[in-house]
């Protein structure tokens, strides 16, 4: 988050709650939802209440980190949790429905490769999302900070689990919109994906502008974000882009391609190129060259398919999973059901 952004936030400890977000208001959201599971609004208004955690019940400990949407705390609520406290614009209460919609999305998810959603604080200005606390490190930390090497076999096992979690989300009609190595944890070899479907919450945080701090000729785009954006998203970006970017299942698959590249190469595509150059190239259909990449044809083909310029040509996650399962394994020491042991050595 750019330093200038903090001035736009209101303190969450303030007492000026408009309380427009009583949990019962979630009813209207559910009434409009056409999913068969959602046909009984009364039942759903009760279940919406079930997910509403009173802010006072949460214990917040140290800050784990700050992202685009808010600050994440280690916390306690019937055990260890992660609490994402959202930065809320003081004068912007309208998108509360957006937040409730995200919560409604979250509560529909139960998969071992997805973070466990426990509930949310839904009374402004105290908006927070409570999930299980991931114990491992993110793939970002493994790859870019610790410089851990992932062998092809380990990369395949991780990619399979990501495909499983993402396939589940897509089958439930949920688009992640922010799939990146920072949102993928590894817990004893098990992949846990976080922050799915939360992207629209930025409206709550930063109003309708994607890029708030335009300084000089910089586009002020968060570092390490652009390389996950499919060509159709890059083309829709402007310095004052509204958040109505054309996200789709296929843009998630493009982002998965970038994660696959990071796993295999240990760096981001278009490394050290300025944002303007990346946007221009990707928008025109230029891909990161794989000439220097030491990998088999099959592995590179997956990358090229995920990065297809035309969204319709990108595979879906079930297809990716079966392609990954068919890849020949070299010296696979452990069965895939065993945890992957990560080490700094090149080929452990
Ligand atoms: P980003 O995803 O861009 O890093 P976030 O706001 O999502 O930003 O996360 C901020 C920090 O909190 C990151 O270091 C992230 O790894 C950590 N974090 C987020 N969710 C969890 C979680 N459920 N368990 C443990 N740490 C988390
Ligand atoms: Mg995150």
């Amino acid at each position: 988050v750019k330093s200038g952004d903090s001035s736009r936030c209101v303190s969450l400890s303030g007492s000026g709650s408009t309380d427009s977000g009583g949990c019962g208001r979630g009813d209207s959201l559910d009434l409009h939802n056409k999913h068969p599971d959602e046909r009984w609004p009364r039942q759903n208004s009760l279940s919406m209440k079930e997910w509403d955690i009173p802010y006072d019940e949460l214990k917040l400990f140290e800050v784990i980190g700050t992202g685009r949407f808010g600050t994440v705390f280690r916390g306690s609520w019937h055990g260890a949790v992660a609490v994402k406290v959202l930065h809320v614009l003081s004068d912007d209460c309208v998108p509360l429905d957006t937040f409730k919609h995200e919560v409604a999305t979250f509560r529909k998810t139960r998969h071992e490769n997805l973070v466990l959603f426990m509930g949310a604080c839904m009374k402004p200005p105290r908006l927070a999302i409570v999930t299980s606390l991931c114990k491992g490190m993110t793939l970002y930390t493994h790859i870019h900070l610790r410089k851990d090497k992932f062998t092809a076999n380990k990369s395949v096992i991780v990619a399979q689990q990501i495909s499983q979690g993402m396939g589940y989300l897509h089958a439930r009609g949920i688009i992640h919109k922010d799939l990146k190595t920072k949102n993928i944890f590894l817990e004893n070899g098990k992949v846990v994906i976080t922050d799915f479907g939360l992207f629209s919450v930025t409206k709550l945080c930063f109003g309708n502008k994607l890029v708030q701090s335009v300084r000089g000729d910089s586009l002020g785009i968060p570092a390490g974000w652009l390389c996950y954006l499919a060509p159709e998203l890059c083309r829709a970006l402007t310095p004052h882009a509204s958040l109505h970017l054309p996200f789709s299942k296929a843009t998630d698959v493009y982002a998965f391609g970038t994660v696959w590249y990071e796993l295999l190469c240990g760096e981001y595509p278009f490394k050290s190129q300025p944002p303007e150059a990346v946007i221009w190239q990707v928008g025109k259909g230029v891909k990161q060259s794989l000439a220097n990449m030491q990998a088999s044809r099959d592995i590179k083909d997956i990358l090229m398919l995920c990065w297809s310029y035309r969204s319709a040509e990108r595979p879906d996650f079930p297809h990716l999973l079966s392609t990954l399962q068919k890849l020949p394994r070299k010296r696979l020491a452990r069965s895939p059901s065993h945890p992957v042991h990560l080490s700094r050595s090149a080929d452990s």
Side-chain angles (χ1 to χ4, degrees):
V1 173
K2 302 279 173 200
S3 54
D5 293 342
S6 57
S7 62
R8 298 174 181 275
C9 306
V10 293
S11 163
L12 285 157
S13 57
S15 57
S17 168
T18 57
D19 203 13
S20 59
C23 48
R25 297 286 176 92
D27 299 359
S28 58
L29 176 75
D30 287 327
L31 274 170
H32 293 301
N33 197 328
K34 296 285 189 289
H35 191 279
D37 291 347
E38 309 273 342
R39 262 177 300 188
W40 307 106
R42 212 178 117 70
Q43 209 172 322
N44 271 296
S45 82
L46 287 175
S47 62
M48 202 72 186
K49 270 183 196 153
E50 266 175 46
W51 301 109
D52 197 355
I53 300 176
Y55 193 80
D56 298 340
E57 285 187 13
L58 290 173
K59 278 201 195 102
L60 297 187
F61 305 126
E62 78 275 8
V63 171
I64 306 175
T66 301
R68 272 208 300 279
F69 315 125
T71 302
V72 179
F73 293 83
R74 189 173 68 81
S76 174
W77 188 72
H78 304 290
V81 291
V83 183
K84 180 167 281 195
V85 178
L86 301 181
H87 301 153
V88 193
L89 286 173
S90 53
D91 57 349
D92 196 352
C93 290
V94 182
L96 189 65
D97 276 353
T98 311
F99 178 65
K100 290 190 167 181
H101 190 78
E102 308 300 358
V103 170
T105 302
F106 248 129
R107 70 195 169 119
K108 288 193 288 187
T109 58
R110 286 162 193 268
H111 190 278
E112 70 164 337
N113 297 121
L114 301 180
V115 76
L116 177 69
F117 170 71
M118 298 181 71
C121 303
M122 293 187 262
K123 292 191 175 71
R126 289 165 176 170
L127 299 184
I129 290 167
V130 183
T131 63
S132 58
L133 184 71
C134 298
K135 286 167 216 80
M137 286 177 278
T138 62
L139 276 186
Y140 168 83
T141 302
H142 278 294
I143 296 171
H144 300 284
L145 302 183
R146 290 170 47 106
K147 310 278 181 203
D148 289 334
K149 297 280 180 266
F150 285 66
T151 60
N153 289 342
K154 286 174 185 170
S155 303
V156 169
I157 294 167
V158 169
Q160 281 177 0
Q161 295 184 51
I162 300 171
S163 303
Q164 256 157 2
M166 290 301 300
Y168 171 92
L169 277 185
H170 285 185
R172 307 288 272 166
I174 301 166
I175 299 168
H176 191 303
K177 300 183 185 172
D178 200 18
L179 183 65
K180 56 181 185 177
T181 45
K182 284 186 175 175
N183 282 337
I184 303 170
F185 281 82
L186 262 189
E187 283 185 345
N188 289 324
K190 190 178 89 172
V191 162
V192 178
I193 302 171
T194 64
D195 285 348
F196 28 92
L198 268 183
F199 194 85
S200 350
V201 172
T202 37
K203 267 194 201 158
L204 278 169
C205 313
F206 305 135
N208 221 11
K209 302 274 170 60
L210 179 62
V211 181
Q212 287 289 330
S213 54
V214 181
R215 276 188 241 135
D217 59 356
S218 153
L219 290 174
I221 286 168
W225 179 57
L226 265 185
C227 57
Y228 296 102
L229 295 189
E232 62 271 28
L233 295 176
C234 282
R235 286 198 306 274
L237 274 183
T238 68
H240 302 286
S242 83
L243 283 168
H244 299 294
L245 290 170
F247 288 106
S248 65
K249 290 177 182 173
T251 60
D252 278 351
V253 172
Y254 184 96
F256 169 86
T258 300
V259 171
W260 182 230
Y261 179 88
E262 291 173 73
L263 279 167
L264 297 164
C265 298
E267 59 188 34
Y268 284 121
F270 298 108
K271 194 179 138 203
S272 38
Q273 293 202 34
E276 296 83 346
V278 179
I279 294 172
W280 188 77
Q281 290 177 87
V282 175
K284 270 180 36 155
V286 177
K287 297 185 183 83
Q288 162 71 46
S289 159
L290 306 185
N292 296 327
M293 187 175 162
Q294 306 223 318
S296 69
R297 189 71 258 161
D298 317 354
I299 281 178
K300 291 186 182 183
D301 283 348
I302 295 177
L303 207 40
M304 283 299 136
L305 275 176
C306 293
W307 281 348
S308 295
Y309 182 73
R310 285 214 273 249
S311 59
E313 285 166 17
R314 293 175 211 144
D316 59 15
F317 280 105
H319 182 92
L320 275 169
L321 183 62
S322 74
T323 310
L324 288 162
Q325 282 166 342
K326 282 182 210 140
L327 285 178
R329 302 288 173 87
K330 279 188 219 146
R331 296 189 295 108
L332 192 63
R334 300 169 190 85
S335 86
S337 59
H338 278 204
V340 184
H341 175 72
L342 297 171
S343 85
R344 284 157 191 269
S345 68
D347 220 2
S348 63

